[in-house]
């Protein structure tokens, strides 16, 4: 199994290093990964003047999945748009047609205090938001600002989804649910928007192939409310690009800890890019204090979704739980005044727990 490791910028190299060590530690289970690194983002620009160097694309094309750190930093903020670090990320998504964005929101009992919601509402929360990433009003044409017939300027965008785009994300949702509690809630605004009534119809049709999965539908305004009222009612939420953008950020905040949350972006062949949801954290880069757990949990998702190694994925996730239960904390998840450990010590602890 081959993994392309793209550390990127800021804390990216520090946190991916720990995830790579954890993957190597799975050798005791007989799992061996060929892992090769390449530059992306600001590091790509520094190395070859391009945030996504050709050699990086070639490496990724030969791999079964990508483990990605984070990109960006103040040094690159004044570059022309095409050379900015985030272009590396956007071009990778496009190149590999990564249309399904998976964002789990998990609240570990030990960290429930960090949430802005009451402990009993979020402790033990484990939901997965599946956001369609390549269609919807963000990409629909035509769009722009024009002068209308009354002579007034108006802005407009086009919400659009093709049947095949909806079908493939629906399949991804039902398949992801099979690896969890087998419940999918599709979120739309079918009472108002034609596009999302169509979304609802197509998701319902695809569901006929998944009789073992329970499907429900919810309007997006209600979903936004239910996420803060009773988030534990959800297992898998599937939704379009715009609603998913908003709901996935809302859900991540339920957990209160950005350094803990992994993500995956998959294509139709289950090839994927796996990365923490946080950025390159230039304020703490190089200090050895960044939390590597979101990246380690991203590696667990890579094992689950692209490498089909469910058991190993669960072992890594169990090791993270164990470390938290032992009371070990990096600074971002520690309660005030409590002892903290650094990036490498956290990696050591996860490996010991494995
Ligand atoms: P950020 O997520 O990098 O940092 C926000 C805050 O969270 C900072 O205080 C940071 O120290 C802290 N933090 C983040 N990850 C942490 C971790 N693992 N452990 C401990 N603390 C952590 O967001 P930002 O400050 O808005 O952006 C910084 C840079 O990252 C920018 O250049 C931005 O464009 C880029 N960015 C990249 C990605 C990505 O690569 N996917 C995502 C978001 C932002």
């Amino acid at each position: 199994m081959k993994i392309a490791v793209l550390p990127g910028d800021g804390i990216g190299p520090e946190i991916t290093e720990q995830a790579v060590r954890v993957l190597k530690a799975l050798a005791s289970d007989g799992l061996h990964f060929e892992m090769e690194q390449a530059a992306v983002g600001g590091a790509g620009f520094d190395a070859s003047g391009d945030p996504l160097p050709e050699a990086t694309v070639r490496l990724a094309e030969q791999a079964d999945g990508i483990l990605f750190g984070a990109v960006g930093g103040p040094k690159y903020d004044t570059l022309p748009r095409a050379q900015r670090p985030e272009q590396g990320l956007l071009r990778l998504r496009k190149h590999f047609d990564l249309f399904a964005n998976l964002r789990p929101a998990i609240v570990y009992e030990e960290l429930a205090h960090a949430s802005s919601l009451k402990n009993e509402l979020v402790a033990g929360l484990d939901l997965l938001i599946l956001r369609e990433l390549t269609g919807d009003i963000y990409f629909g044409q035509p769009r722009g600002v024009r002068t209308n017939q009354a002579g007034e300027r108006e802005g407009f965008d086009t919400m659009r989804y093709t049947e095949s785009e909806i079908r493939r994300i629906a399949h991804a949702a039902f398949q992801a649910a099979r690896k969890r509690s087998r419940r999918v809630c599709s979120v739309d605004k079918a009472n108002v928007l034609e596009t999302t009534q169509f979304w609802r119809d197509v998701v319902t049709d695809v569901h006929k192939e998944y009789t073992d999965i329970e499907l429900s539908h919810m309007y997006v305004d209600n979903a936004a409310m239910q996420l803060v009222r009773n988030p534990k009612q959800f297992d898998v939420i599937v939704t379009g690009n715009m609603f998913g953008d908003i709901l996935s950020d809302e859900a991540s905040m339920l957990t209160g800890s950005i350094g803990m949350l992994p993500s995956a972006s998959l294509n139709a062949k289950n090839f994927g890019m796996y990365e923490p949801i946080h950025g390159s954290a230039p304020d703490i880069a190089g200090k050895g204090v960044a939390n590597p757990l979101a990246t380690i949990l991203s590696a667990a998702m890579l094992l689950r979704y692209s490498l089909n190694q469910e058991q190993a994925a669960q072992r890594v996730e169990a090791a993270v739980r164990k470390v938290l239960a032992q009371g070990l904390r990096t600074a971002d998840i520690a309660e005030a005044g409590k002892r903290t450990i650094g990036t490498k010590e956290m990696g050591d602890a996860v490996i010991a727990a494995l």
Side-chain angles (χ1 to χ4, degrees):
M1 291 173 282
K2 211 164 171 178
I3 301 173
V5 180
L6 313 184
D9 311 316
I11 60 170
E14 304 164 47
I15 54 180
T16 45
E17 187 186 344
Q18 299 313 315
V20 164
R21 290 179 65 219
V22 169
L23 287 169
K24 281 187 180 156
L26 290 170
S28 58
D29 283 8
L31 291 177
H32 297 280
F33 308 102
E34 206 178 302
M35 292 186 271
E36 211 174 309
Q37 291 204 8
V40 73
F45 177 78
D46 288 342
S48 64
D50 185 350
L52 186 61
E54 193 46 45
T56 303
V57 178
R58 273 204 303 278
L59 179 74
E61 280 172 344
Q62 285 156 21
D64 299 299
I66 302 170
L67 183 66
F68 191 96
V71 292
K75 183 178 156 195
Y76 309 104
D77 283 349
T78 50
L79 287 174
R81 186 171 294 277
Q83 288 162 351
R84 296 253 184 96
E86 60 270 22
Q87 288 300 319
L89 192 63
L90 297 174
R91 281 166 53 196
L92 275 170
R93 277 187 191 155
K94 196 162 178 203
H95 184 83
F96 290 103
D97 200 13
L98 305 175
F99 68 89
N101 185 226
L102 282 72
R103 279 182 44 172
I106 296 172
V107 178
Y108 300 91
E109 308 273 347
E110 297 85 357
L111 301 181
H113 63 86
S115 173
S116 49
L117 295 191
K118 289 191 198 101
N119 200 318
E120 65 269 22
L121 277 184
V122 292
L125 174 75
D126 182 357
L127 71 86
L128 176 70
I129 298 206
L130 226 138
R131 165 188 173 194
E132 201 288 330
L133 209 54
T134 56
D136 206 352
I137 196 165
Y138 291 179
F139 295 97
Q141 293 290 344
R143 59 195 286 158
V145 178
R146 64 188 169 198
T147 303
N148 65 20
Q149 287 184 333
E152 188 183 8
R153 286 201 308 148
E154 64 181 15
F156 63 102
D157 294 274
T158 305
M159 178 177 267
R160 186 190 295 269
Y161 263 121
T162 62
E163 181 168 351
S164 57
E165 283 175 321
I166 303 171
R167 281 193 178 276
R168 65 182 188 175
I169 190 81
H171 279 294
F174 293 127
Q175 278 162 28
R178 279 205 173 132
K179 300 187 178 199
R180 302 172 50 93
S181 309
R182 295 177 181 255
R183 287 181 295 121
V184 171
C185 177
S186 172
V187 169
D188 59 43
K189 189 74 183 168
N191 50 343
V192 179
L193 296 168
E194 299 293 337
T195 312
T196 73
Q197 176 61 57
F198 180 57
W199 169 285
R200 186 177 284 216
D201 295 345
V202 175
V203 170
T204 303
D205 192 49
V206 174
H207 178 235
K208 290 179 189 149
E209 296 173 46
Y210 297 88
T211 47
D212 55 322
I213 309 286
E214 187 188 312
L215 171 67
S216 60
H217 302 274
M218 195 179 277
Y219 296 139
V220 63
D221 43 345
N222 189 21
M225 190 171 75
Q226 295 299 332
L227 270 176
V228 288
R229 196 186 73 87
N230 177 18
K232 283 193 252 179
Q233 71 185 280
F234 296 110
D235 179 24
V236 175
I237 292 177
V238 63
T239 189
N241 203 344
M242 179 165 62
F243 298 157
D245 188 2
I246 300 164
L247 294 182
S248 61
D249 264 22
E250 184 188 4
S252 69
M253 276 303 100
L254 298 176
T255 72
S257 47
I258 197 172
M260 294 295 303
L261 295 175
S263 78
S265 303
L266 304 181
N267 68 16
K269 293 180 183 143
N270 283 336
F271 175 89
M273 182 155 79
Y274 298 83
E275 56 176 325
I277 71 156
H278 60 71
S280 57
D283 52 333
I284 56 168
K287 294 184 180 162
V289 298
N291 186 351
L293 293 179
T295 316
I296 290 170
L297 291 167
S298 299
M301 289 185 83
L302 195 164
L303 291 165
R304 171 170 298 121
Y305 292 106
S306 285
L307 303 182
N308 225 356
Q309 297 292 334
E310 177 62 32
Q311 224 180 343
Q314 286 187 19
R315 281 235 303 140
V316 172
E317 288 163 352
V320 169
R321 277 178 203 279
K322 190 166 173 188
V323 164
L324 294 173
Q326 288 165 352
L328 299 170
R329 304 278 186 271
T330 44
D332 57 310
I333 53 172
E335 284 183 85
K338 295 270 172 67
R339 194 182 93 83
T340 62
I341 60 171
T343 311
K344 179 168 183 301
E345 292 76 39
M346 189 54 103
D348 291 343
V350 173
I351 291 165
L354 266 181

